[in-house]
Structures are given as structure tokens and as C-alpha cells.
Amino acid sequence: MIDILTHFPNLWGELPVFLDPFQLFTIPLQEWIEGIVDFIVDNFRFIFQGISVPVRFILSSIESFFIWVPPTIMLIAIGLLAWQIAGGAIAIYSLIAMTLIGYFNAWEETMTTLSLVLTAVVLCAIIGIPLGIAAARSDRFESTIRPILDAMQTLPAFVYLVPVVMLFGTGEVPGVIVTFVFAVPPLIRLTNIGIRQVSQEVVEAALAFGSTPNQVLWEAQIPLAMPTILAGVNQSIMLALSMVVIASMIAVEGLGQMVFRGIGRLDIGLASVGGISIVLMAVMLDRITQAVGKPTQNLSWKDRGPVRLFRSLTQNQKPASST
Amino acid sequence: MADSNAKIRIENLVKIYGKNPYPALKLFREGGTRDSILKETGKVLGIADVSFSVNQGELFVVMGLSGSGKSTLVRCINRLIAPTSGNIYVDGEDVAHVSKERMRDIRRTKMAMVFQKFGLFPHKSVLENVAYGLKVQGMGQAERDKKAQDTLEVVGLAEWSNYLPSSLSGGMQQRVGLARALATDAEILLMDEAFGALDPLIRRGMQDELMRLQAELHKTIVFISHDIQEALKIGDRVAIMKDGYIVQIGTPEELITQPADDYIQAFTQDVNRAQVLKTGTIVRQTVTVILGEDSVNAALDQMQQHELRQMYVVNRQGRPVGLVRRSDLEQAVQEGQNDISAVMERDFPQVSGSTSLEEIFHLYEKRRSLAVIDQEGKFKGVVEQSDVLASIGRLTAKSKEETAAVQDYVAATV
Ligand SMILES: Nc1ncnc2c1ncn2[C@@H]1O[C@H](COP(=O)(O)OP(=O)(O)OP(=O)(O)O)[C@@H](O)[C@H]1O
Ligand SMILES: [Mg+2]
């Protein structure tokens, strides 16, 4: 027995090539990719530098505004917005969540993360929705873009962290880019599905009355696909939030950085504060954006929340001032 | 073929679905059938060389079973589906070969469509739906809203303008669909099984409504239907399709009295013939007495010669004015009375040639024949009760049993 076992490795080593064809050669995938990335970095870095300019502009405007606004004003604004869009209960939740975050001493980090998420989502909307529309209009484009979207969603974020750093450097702009790559696929998919789902007869009706393709899009397809597109925006926001910790590995500030640093120093307290704040904010953003898609009551926005209150107040005042 | 009255003229229209239909088209030209083309090329032959024309002001029904190519045909006319080969002339312009821009223009101004499942925009109000065609034409908001409101008035939905389509019943929604098509003042209406999704009772109401509107508006209508009763009821002419080609085109009566083959015969078997057949088609020409020209003696001579027991009296314009019976004339001759107007019955039944047989049963009484008149009121001939029975019996009855059933039916109706 022992004899056979000790002889086994030798047996392996002497296996003929046809039983182990892999010993023949190795595909130098590593070298190729290195080569490609190096080539791009050497020759086209300016393109990526160019891309980062508008991204940095959007990001820094949003961020500096959020940090500049005093927390109390911000709280009021968030409360009113949540009330208007999603109703009273979610407004109260939002206020409690944001107040807690403030007392956790994580307000500034939260504002940084919020602006990063918003920037990434704005980018997703600007780029993802048109791509989704294009995919809905052309079967060929859809079948081209589908495997790319699959790859973007399944490729572990760590894999493209390195090339992104090589191309964009470290900091918040590459953080936005990484987040964008991860968060945009569902928006493209859902926009595509939403537009394709619009009843064929309604599209035919629009065409039969002589609409141009653009009129069909704006008069019928986009309004009818809007709930699905907004569900896509909601998905994007959620995915963007889930990238926050990974993005902190390339020196992105904010709540993710708290978690990342906490893990690094085995500081369970710091990591938990960051983590809990992310969850509180995620739930808030989720509920608010979901409500945009399907308003709970069938009332128009004028008859809901603070706008309604304001309107009824001013209307009551008018007769009072006239007497 | 070149009919100056034709609003739409379709020549050798072929539609083969799928990319690169030309090998399949070649196969079809060489005599391939729908099945053989499908087997060899995998392509569906939607329309197999169809030619016909629709006249100005005509309500033309295309009827056929599911999958016979009706929707394909009607969508070729406004090119929602691009024809593979052939020509479609609308007012002399070949819409199968105009530019996209010109086609959009034609769709905006010349033809409007009504859909089976209504095809309304669910996010737009009833008024906005009706105004849609006008909006696409570029009409201003105020003007198009007014026009849409007026059109809603025509279909009886004026109070519903601010509701969403989902809050209306099916029949009302299709009225909105109809109003949307009428609002653009297009001369051609394409209606793809427009009443197919409605309950039978509502459907009948809509058919009547369409016929009422058509009597006023004189549109050129291509109406798709898979219901033979509907087709024969509303159609001026009916085309029956099968497997992509047209089996027969004719007036409802022609389809019933002269079916081209067993297929058509089978279709029209269950139809209530008395409803479809018009009095004019079974009218029997006969001699008349002309008031003021013929004497009682001359009239009696004629009757004896033709072995008639009664005869109609017409005036010099050819309009029927009375009925004389042989017994009365004989009595008048004995009494020396020579004025026909003194012996004729002035109260007699008369119907126009376009009345259906079903509607004339109740007019038979006192063994009098019916006077049939044409559109100008001129006397065309008579129809006797036995003629009606015979025509229905001849068409329906393949056996004695059936004849008996028809006579029972007639008796019950009378
Ligand atoms: N886009 C398409 N691609 C391939 N084949 C099609 C397409 N549309 C219709 N067909 C086929 O063409 C034939 C005719 O279809 P069409 O819709 O014109 O029939 P129809 O007479 O309107 O039937 P129905 O009463 O069911 O509406 C059918 O066999 C159908 O399967
Ligand atoms: Mg159809």
C-alpha cells in the first residue's frame, strides 16, 4: 500500500502529455492584460483624466454644498422632501435616522457618502437610461450589451479596482467610477425591459397616427415605462451604497472609510458606527425612491405632504386678509 | 381594373414575414403554398398575392378565420407592416413605395386606425387620447382640445373627457378609440376587429352606431372582422380571406346566393338569410296598369292574359298608387264603371328594394303581394309571400326537414 502511495506522485510527474495537456503551455493572460492596461495608461491616460473633470465637478459641487449646509437645515430639508414624496411615516423615519447618525458623530462622513452615491446615480441616469432606450430599440444592440452588463455585475469589484486606480488615480473620482460600473447595469436592464413591455398596440396606435419615433418614445414609451425605470434608479442607489466600503479601499472618504479603518484596526466600535449609519441611510433612500415610482395615494403631488399644507394655509389666509 | 372611383387600390400584394424574404418570395412565385414555403424557408406567408379596390365612401369588410392574414393586410395599408411586394394606391399614390416622411404625413391626414384592444394611451385622459392625432399634426392645444371635445360629443362621451381610459367600460373605451380616429378628419378608417373585444350586446350597439356615423360621414372604411354575421350586416362589400389570399369578394347577398366554393358556403351556412337577402334581389317583374291611360277593360284583359289575380296601378311617373283585384274589375265591368281609380285599393304594402326579407314578413296580409320600389320611388315589381319562402327555402334547405323548419320559422315570424 505504502509503496503505491509513495510512487503515485512520480507517476503523475511522468504522465504522458495527452493525459495532462496543460503542461504543454500556459496562455499568458496575465501578461496580456498587464500589457493592455499599461498601453492604455501610457497612451490614453489623458482621456480618463478628461472624463474625471466633469465627474469631479459634479461631485465636489454636491459635496461642498452638503457639508456647507448646517445639519438642522439639512434635517428639515430631508424631512420635507421625504414627506412630500413618500408620506408622513417615512418622513419621521428619515428624521430619526439622520438625527441618530448626527449624534453618532458621523454626520460629515454621511454627507460625503451621500454626495458620492448621488453623483454616481446621476451618472447612471445620464448614461444608463439612454443606453437602456437604445437597447430597447435595437435587438442587435441589446444582445451586444447584455454580456457586458453581465460581466459588469458579476466581475468582483476588486478586479477592476486596480486598473481604475491606474487610470484615474486614487480618491473620490475613481470611487464614483467604480460605483458607477457596479450600479449602472440594473438601470440599463430595467429601462430596456420597461420600454419593451409597453403594449405593442399602444405603440402601433401612436405610429398609426403619424408619430415620429421620437414622439412614440416621449408620448408613449417613456411615460409608460417610467415606473420600471424608477425601479431601476432605486436599484442603482442600493447597489451604489453597497459599493461604499469597497470604494474606501481606494482612499474614498466617508462612512465606508470608517468601516474600512475599523476593520484594519480591529476597532469593532468604529466599524459598527459606519455600518449602522450606512444601513440607516440605505433604508431611507430606498423608501423615498420607491415611493417616487408608485405614489401611495392617487393624489397629485400638489395634494400631498407639505405642499398641500402650504397651499391650504395660504388659501385660508386669503379670505382672512380680505376681511 | 383602373376604377376611377377607387379610394384604395391594392395590386398583387404579397407579405412574407422575416428577414430576407426574397428566396421565399421566389418560391411563392414558382407556385409554392403557405405550408411548403414555411417548411422550406421557415418564413410565414402572411399575404399571398391579393388584389382588390375599395371605393370612395364604401364600408369594406375583410373577413376570415384567425391567422388568415386580415391584420397583416390592414397594416400594410398604413404600412405599420412593410409589404414585401406589390402596390397599394391610396388616391392614386403608391403608399407601398413612398418615403417614411411622406408615409407619416399620409398617416396624419389621410388614414386613421381603430384597434381591437382599443390601443388607448393609458396615461392620457380621454380628451388627450382623442386629441392625439391632432397633436401629432401640430395643432395648438386650445384648438385641438376643442375639436376633440366636439368629436367626443359625436360619440356621446362628452362628460368623460377628463377621465383616464381605465375608468371607462370596454364599449366606451372603443368609442374613444373611434373618436380618436374621427377627430383627424381622415377620409379612410382602418378598423382591425374593432368590436372583437366587446360583449355581443355592446357589439351590436357599436355596429349600429358605426352604420349611423357612416351614413352621415361617408368615410372609406376597411373593417376587419372574424364574425360573418357582423361582416354581412355592416359591409357594403365583403372579402373573405383564407391562408393569406382572398377567396371571394362580393356584396353580402352575392356571398350568400352565389358562394364561390364550399369554403364560403360553409361560412355562410349558419347565417340568417332572411336578414341578409334584400327584397330587391327576389323581386318579380310584372305588368302594371297606368292610371289615366289604361281602361278597366284593358286592365282586365291584361290580367286574364297573364293569369294574374291582382295588379298594381302606377301613375305616369311610374310610382305605385293602388292595387286592383280581378274580382273587383270584373264587377266594375258588369256595372259599366270604367274609372280605375274608383275600384283600386289605395292602401297597399310597399317596401324599398333594400329592405331585408326579415323585415317584410309582417307586411303580408289579405293575400296581397308587396309592391317593391327603387330609390326614386318607382315601381320595380312585386314580391309574394311564396317568393320569400321559396328563396329562403331554396338556399337553406338541403332536405325536406330543413324546408319544414324554415317554414315554421317563417310562420312564427309572420
Ligand atoms: N410578426 C410576425 N412574424 C411572423 N409571422 C407573423 C407575424 N405576425 C403575424 N404572423 C403570421 O401571419 C399570419 C397572419 O397573421 P394575422 O395577424 O394577419 O392574422 P389575422 O387574420 O389577423 O388573425 P387574427 O384573427 O388572429 O387576428 C399568421 O399565421 C401569423 O402567425
Ligand atoms: Mg388580427
Side-chain angles (χ1 to χ4, degrees), chain B residues 268-385:
Chain B
T268 52
Q269 197 132 54
D270 302 328
V271 170
N272 180 353
R273 277 136 225 272
Q275 251 171 19
V276 177
L277 288 179
K278 303 285 185 275
T279 317
T281 56
I282 59 165
V283 67
R284 181 192 294 203
Q285 290 190 343
T286 179
V287 290
T288 53
V289 195
I290 300 172
L291 191 65
E293 278 184 15
D294 298 333
S295 67
V296 168
N297 272 323
L300 194 57
D301 276 354
Q302 284 227 338
M303 274 179 141
Q304 277 161 349
Q305 201 180 327
H306 290 96
E307 295 181 1
L308 295 174
R309 269 186 315 210
Q310 45 183 275
M311 199 158 74
Y312 274 95
V313 183
V314 299
N315 62 15
R316 288 212 170 85
Q317 285 78 44
R319 302 216 163 90
V321 291
L323 175 76
V324 287
R325 290 173 193 273
R326 194 154 149 183
S327 52
D328 293 341
L329 285 183
E330 279 163 356
Q331 201 180 340
V333 169
Q334 278 170 13
E335 290 170 3
Q337 168 67 270
N338 211 9
D339 182 9
I340 284 181
S341 62
V343 291
M344 73 183 186
E345 295 172 26
R346 286 161 199 279
D347 165 35
F348 60 90
Q350 68 172 0
V351 294
S352 104
S354 58
T355 316
S356 71
L357 295 188
E358 189 177 49
E359 290 166 278
I360 64 173
F361 283 139
H362 70 276
L363 296 174
Y364 284 104
E365 46 167 339
K366 295 191 233 159
R367 316 182 71 211
R368 291 190 298 202
S369 56
L370 291 185
V372 180
I373 51 173
D374 62 14
Q375 280 156 335
E376 285 114 51
K378 288 197 177 136
F379 184 75
K380 279 179 73 184
V382 296
V383 170
E384 285 173 16
Q385 192 165 11

Side-chain angles (χ1 to χ4, degrees), chain B residues 176-339:
Chain B
V176 177
L178 192 57
R180 180 173 64 178
L182 292 176
T184 61
D185 289 329
E187 290 164 19
I188 297 173
L189 290 189
L190 306 174
M191 306 181 72
D192 187 6
E193 296 199 27
F195 306 148
L198 304 176
D199 295 333
L201 208 64
I202 314 259
R203 176 196 282 223
R204 238 167 285 152
M206 288 296 285
Q207 291 163 356
D208 295 336
E209 173 115 7
L210 180 69
M211 288 165 81
R212 176 181 70 79
L213 287 169
Q214 173 64 354
E216 270 173 42
L217 303 172
H218 308 293
K219 303 270 183 190
T220 303
I221 304 179
V222 178
F223 189 102
I224 306 297
S225 175
H226 66 229
D227 175 358
I228 184 81
Q229 305 271 5
E230 179 172 80
L232 296 175
K233 174 178 173 186
I234 67 173
D236 292 325
R237 281 192 303 151
V238 179
I240 298 189
M241 283 189 84
K242 180 192 175 191
D243 295 344
Y245 62 92
I246 291 184
V247 187
Q248 186 176 5
I249 301 183
T251 63
E253 292 168 30
E254 282 166 2
L255 291 179
I256 289 203
T257 53
Q258 305 146 35
D261 59 14
D262 291 347
Y263 186 74
I264 309 278
Q265 172 109 36
F267 252 123
T268 52
Q269 197 132 54
D270 302 328
V271 170
N272 180 353
R273 277 136 225 272
Q275 251 171 19
V276 177
L277 288 179
K278 303 285 185 275
T279 317
T281 56
I282 59 165
V283 67
R284 181 192 294 203
Q285 290 190 343
T286 179
V287 290
T288 53
V289 195
I290 300 172
L291 191 65
E293 278 184 15
D294 298 333
S295 67
V296 168
N297 272 323
L300 194 57
D301 276 354
Q302 284 227 338
M303 274 179 141
Q304 277 161 349
Q305 201 180 327
H306 290 96
E307 295 181 1
L308 295 174
R309 269 186 315 210
Q310 45 183 275
M311 199 158 74
Y312 274 95
V313 183
V314 299
N315 62 15
R316 288 212 170 85
Q317 285 78 44
R319 302 216 163 90
V321 291
L323 175 76
V324 287
R325 290 173 193 273
R326 194 154 149 183
S327 52
D328 293 341
L329 285 183
E330 279 163 356
Q331 201 180 340
V333 169
Q334 278 170 13
E335 290 170 3
Q337 168 67 270
N338 211 9
D339 182 9

Side-chain angles (χ1 to χ4, degrees), chain B residues 8 10 52 54 58-62 73-74 77 188-192 220-224:
Chain B
I8 305 170
I10 296 181
F52 64 90
V54 182
E58 187 175 32
L59 205 168
F60 188 90
V61 180
V62 179
L73 178 62
V74 76
I77 298 177
I188 297 173
L189 290 189
L190 306 174
M191 306 181 72
D192 187 6
T220 303
I221 304 179
V222 178
F223 189 102
I224 306 297

Side-chain angles (χ1 to χ4, degrees), chain A residues 71-72 74-103 107 110-111 114 277 279-289 291:
Chain A
T72 312
M74 194 70 190
L75 276 177
I76 294 172
I78 288 176
L80 287 177
L81 197 70
W83 186 15
Q84 179 65 47
I85 293 171
I90 290 168
I92 291 170
Y93 166 81
S94 304
L95 281 180
I96 294 175
M98 294 309 285
T99 310
L100 274 177
I101 288 174
Y103 284 116
W107 182 265
T110 303
M111 288 303 116
L114 192 60
S277 302
V279 170
L280 287 173
M281 190 167 70
V283 172
M284 175 182 88
L285 291 178
D286 179 52
R287 294 302 127 86
I288 295 177
T289 50

Side-chain angles (χ1 to χ4, degrees), chain A:
Chain A
M1 275 305 276
I2 291 164
D3 249 23
I4 297 171
L5 276 179
T6 49
H7 277 94
F8 229 87
N10 290 347
L11 218 70
W12 249 157
E14 290 152 18
L15 262 181
V17 166
F18 70 88
L19 282 183
D20 180 15
F22 303 137
Q23 57 183 258
L24 268 181
F25 62 90
T26 309
I27 298 176
L29 185 63
Q30 289 185 16
E31 284 83 13
W32 288 353
I33 292 181
E34 269 174 37
I36 293 171
V37 172
D38 283 347
F39 177 78
I40 295 176
V41 170
D42 289 347
N43 295 286
F44 299 107
R45 195 148 196 264
F46 66 96
I47 294 181
F48 297 93
Q49 302 297 328
I51 293 174
S52 38
V53 172
V55 176
R56 181 171 298 119
F57 175 75
I58 301 177
L59 179 64
S60 57
S61 328
I62 296 181
E63 187 175 2
S64 53
F65 176 74
F66 278 178
I67 291 179
W68 168 79
V69 174
T72 312
I73 309 265
M74 194 70 190
L75 276 177
I76 294 172
I78 288 176
L80 287 177
L81 197 70
W83 186 15
Q84 179 65 47
I85 293 171
I90 290 168
I92 291 170
Y93 166 81
S94 304
L95 281 180
I96 294 175
M98 294 309 285
T99 310
L100 274 177
I101 288 174
Y103 284 116
F104 291 159
N105 203 16
W107 182 265
E108 209 158 293
E109 285 84 352
T110 303
M111 288 303 116
T112 302
T113 296
L114 192 60
S115 36
L116 186 124
V117 167
L118 281 184
T119 309
V121 170
V122 166
L123 272 188
C124 284
I126 293 175
I127 294 168
I129 293 177
L131 283 179
I133 292 171
R137 283 180 160 197
S138 151
D139 286 339
R140 181 181 294 175
F141 184 62
E142 190 203 20
S143 51
T144 319
I145 204 172
R146 177 173 289 166
I148 301 176
L149 296 182
D150 290 340
M152 283 162 83
Q153 270 187 306
T154 48
L155 206 64
F158 297 100
V159 174
Y160 51 85
L161 228 42
V162 179
V164 164
V165 170
M166 291 173 77
L167 292 170
F168 291 95
T170 59
E172 304 206 310
V173 170
V176 170
I177 302 287
V178 176
T179 311
F180 165 80
V181 170
F182 189 65
V184 80
L187 183 54
I188 298 178
R189 277 186 220 276
L190 283 166
T191 305
N192 174 33
I193 290 173
I195 288 184
R196 280 175 186 265
Q197 266 174 352
V198 172
S199 140
Q200 186 57 32
E201 229 187 24
V202 171
V203 173
E204 273 194 333
L207 284 172
F209 283 92
S211 311
T212 60
N214 272 335
Q215 282 170 325
V216 176
L217 191 65
W218 289 105
E219 297 280 348
Q221 290 175 315
I222 288 187
L224 291 173
M226 203 37 108
T228 318
I229 295 177
L230 287 172
V233 173
N234 172 271
Q235 289 288 301
S236 283
I237 292 181
M238 293 298 104
L239 288 183
L241 274 167
S242 70
M243 276 298 281
V244 159
V245 177
I246 293 174
S248 68
M249 293 168 72
I250 52 174
V252 175
E253 291 298 317
L255 293 174
Q257 196 58 249
M258 289 175 89
V259 177
F260 189 58
R261 225 173 273 148
I263 294 170
R265 296 191 210 140
L266 290 181
D267 182 345
I268 185 70
L270 185 65
S272 301
V273 167
I276 292 171
S277 302
I278 290 176
V279 170
L280 287 173
M281 190 167 70
V283 172
M284 175 182 88
L285 291 178
D286 179 52
R287 294 302 127 86
I288 295 177
T289 50
Q290 264 186 18
V292 179
K294 34 183 169 325
T296 34
Q297 318 94 332
N298 267 336
L299 299 172
S300 93
W301 62 272
K302 284 179 190 159
D303 298 325
R304 277 188 282 142
V307 173
R308 172 181 164 212
L309 185 70
F310 181 74
R311 273 159 50 107
S312 67
L313 282 180
T314 50
Q315 267 161 17
N316 285 345
Q317 265 169 9
K318 263 181 209 152
S321 61
S322 68
T323 48

